[in-house]
């Protein structure tokens, strides 16, 4: 038996509770991991709240990522004792996730924990930070360089935004933060943002094209905010889009793409190939300012997840929330 946060379906929505689970109930897989840490992401909040049909079947253990140590394995790449990270692959949606003291998964989904990180640090980065690194890589691959102009980061005080600002700042980019919480300005400045913009100016539909401002952007909002970001991009800019916190629609025109050569680069962290994952985690080991991890993260226990989940949906969680599972 092991401890887990379990979601069960009811007529009024999912019921979340901390319970004991038999190891035999775990799904099939060639690697069994003793989970030490997970994290609270926006998608986890949606799952626990029963919104957006994140969970495809019940009962479900949520938690889209985890870090831990292999305790059983028939996979030669991940022997017993190996420290590992897991992000995505349907974890917490179609397959039991990281809010449990044990998880059984396919070894082909795992990434070896870089020696630079402890499991807790890895989950302070978590799926949000790993996604932020994928976004930075997309900007780099599109040819966006530090000298090209300012980079806008939307959802700046959230998990993706906080890590993106830290990464871009260390890499020498001029980072501008877009936020709906101007009270977090000092926090965002400490992470490396040179300017803070109130999100209210981006919430309403704007013109197809506005003044050329951004050489690139990392967007976790989508919707009207993303449309306004695209309209303000410079010629040849790239926008790495990874989220939909502001809406799933995109009320824009072709103008930014055909008149300014703007690239809208979609970033998926769930099913990204292993080579991309390893590249992202390797780069974070060298490019993420470790001293800022403590600033962007806080820790809760597994018992506190249910009460904390609604706060991330309400935009009341700053940065990253580590979940101490074991």
């Amino acid at each position: 038996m092991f401890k887990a946060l379990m979601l069960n379906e009811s007529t009024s929505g999912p019921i979340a509770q901390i319970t004991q689970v038999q190891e035999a109930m775990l799904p099939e897989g060639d690697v069994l991991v003793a989970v030490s840490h997970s994290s609270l992401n926006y998608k986890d909040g949606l799952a626990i709240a029963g919104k957006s049909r994140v969970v495809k079947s019940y009962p479900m253990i949520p938690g889209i990522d985890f870090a831990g140590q292999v305790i059983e394995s028939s996979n030669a790449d991940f022997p017993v004792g190996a420290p590992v990270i897991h992000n995505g692959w349907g974890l917490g949606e179609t397959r039991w996730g990281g809010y449990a003291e044990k998880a059984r998964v396919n070894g082909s989904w795992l990434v070896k924990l870089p020696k630079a990180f402890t499991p807790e640090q890895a989950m302070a980065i978590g799926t949000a930070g790993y996604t932020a690194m994928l976004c930075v890589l997309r900007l780099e691959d599109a040819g966006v360089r530090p000298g090209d102009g300012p980079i806008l980061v939307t959802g700046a005080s959230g998990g993706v935004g906080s890590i993106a600002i830290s990464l871009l700042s260390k890499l020498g980019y001029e980072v501008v933060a877009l936020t709906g919480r101007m009270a977090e300005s000092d926090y965002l400045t400490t992470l490396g943002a040179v300017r803070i913009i109130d999100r209210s100016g981006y919430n309403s539909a704007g013109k197809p094209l506005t003044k050329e401002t951004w050489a690139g952007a990392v967007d976790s909002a989508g919707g009207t905010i993303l449309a306004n970001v695209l309209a303000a991009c410079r010629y040849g800019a790239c926008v790495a889009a990874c989220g939909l916190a502001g809406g799933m629609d995109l009320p824009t025109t072709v103008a930014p793409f055909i008149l300014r050569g703007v690239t809208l680069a979609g970033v998926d962290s769930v099913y990204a190939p292993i080579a991309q994952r390893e590249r992202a985690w390797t780069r974070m080991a060298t490019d993420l300012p470790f001293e800022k991890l403590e600033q962007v993260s806080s820790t809760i226990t597994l018992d506190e997840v249910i009460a904390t989940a609604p706060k991330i949906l309400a935009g009341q969680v700053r940065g990253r929330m580590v979940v101490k599972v074991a």
Side-chain angles (χ1 to χ4, degrees):
M1 301 290 287
F2 60 91
K3 186 177 181 179
L5 191 164
M6 182 75 76
L7 298 179
N8 285 286
E9 193 171 26
S10 74
T11 55
S12 60
I15 298 174
Q17 60 180 344
I18 302 295
T19 187
Q20 292 290 317
V21 178
Q22 291 184 347
E23 186 178 303
M25 295 175 64
L26 287 169
E28 295 181 356
D30 56 3
V31 179
L32 180 65
V33 179
V35 177
S36 63
H37 296 83
S38 183
S39 69
L40 179 60
N41 298 276
Y42 192 82
K43 189 178 286 186
D44 298 317
L46 291 173
I48 293 171
K51 297 183 178 180
S52 299
R53 295 298 298 174
V54 168
V55 175
K56 304 303 189 291
S57 64
Y58 293 91
M60 176 61 64
I61 295 174
I64 64 172
D65 54 23
F66 66 72
Q69 189 173 58
V70 176
I71 53 176
E72 289 182 13
S73 176
S74 58
N75 187 308
D77 292 329
F78 297 96
V80 172
V84 295
I85 311 166
H86 190 299
N87 301 99
W89 297 110
L91 209 71
E93 301 176 67
T94 61
R95 187 180 180 93
W96 285 10
Y99 291 166
E101 292 177 329
K102 292 183 181 180
R104 184 179 286 121
V105 298
N106 294 334
S108 59
W109 299 341
L110 294 169
V111 172
K112 295 175 182 176
L113 177 69
K115 293 181 179 179
F117 303 121
T118 65
E120 185 172 8
Q121 288 173 324
M123 286 299 101
I125 297 167
T127 293
Y130 146 69
T131 302
M133 187 74 248
L134 290 176
C135 290
V136 172
L137 293 173
R138 287 303 294 267
L139 296 183
E140 290 182 347
D141 291 346
V144 179
R145 299 293 180 259
D148 292 341
I151 306 297
L152 184 69
V153 176
T154 71
S157 60
V160 173
S162 295
I163 299 292
I165 291 170
S166 300
L167 287 165
L168 289 164
S169 175
K170 184 176 180 181
L171 291 169
Y173 290 87
E174 178 187 350
V175 187
V176 178
L178 185 75
T179 181
R181 293 187 280 171
M182 293 300 288
E184 300 286 10
S185 293
D186 289 344
Y187 164 73
L188 297 171
T189 300
T190 301
L191 295 183
V194 299
R195 186 155 53 98
I196 317 298
I197 298 178
D198 194 322
R199 188 181 64 201
S200 61
Y202 279 66
N203 285 337
S204 301
K207 297 179 180 179
L209 289 176
T210 57
K211 181 181 178 181
E212 294 185 52
T213 304
W214 314 118
V218 173
D219 176 68
S220 58
T224 300
I225 292 174
L226 175 55
N228 285 320
V229 172
L230 291 167
C233 280
R234 296 184 178 187
Y235 192 93
C238 177
V239 177
C242 64
L244 45 71
M248 202 169 197
D249 59 327
L250 184 56
T252 188
T253 71
V254 297
F257 312 113
I258 65 173
L259 297 181
R260 292 183 181 170
V262 174
T263 297
L264 177 58
V267 174
D268 166 58
S269 63
V270 178
Y271 296 108
I274 288 297
Q276 288 185 24
R277 295 165 182 266
E278 292 177 340
R279 181 188 179 198
W281 281 101
T282 298
R283 281 290 301 274
M284 280 189 289
T286 58
D287 296 339
L288 181 64
F290 277 58
E291 68 277 7
K292 292 183 180 178
L293 270 183
E294 290 187 7
Q295 293 176 254
V296 305
S297 65
S298 55
T299 301
I300 60 175
T301 66
L302 185 61
D303 294 328
E304 296 174 292
V305 170
I306 297 172
T308 308
K311 296 179 181 180
I312 198 168
L313 300 183
Q316 298 171 354
V317 172
R318 171 204 279 184
R320 298 284 300 128
M321 186 72 72
V322 178
V323 178
K324 187 176 182 180
V325 177

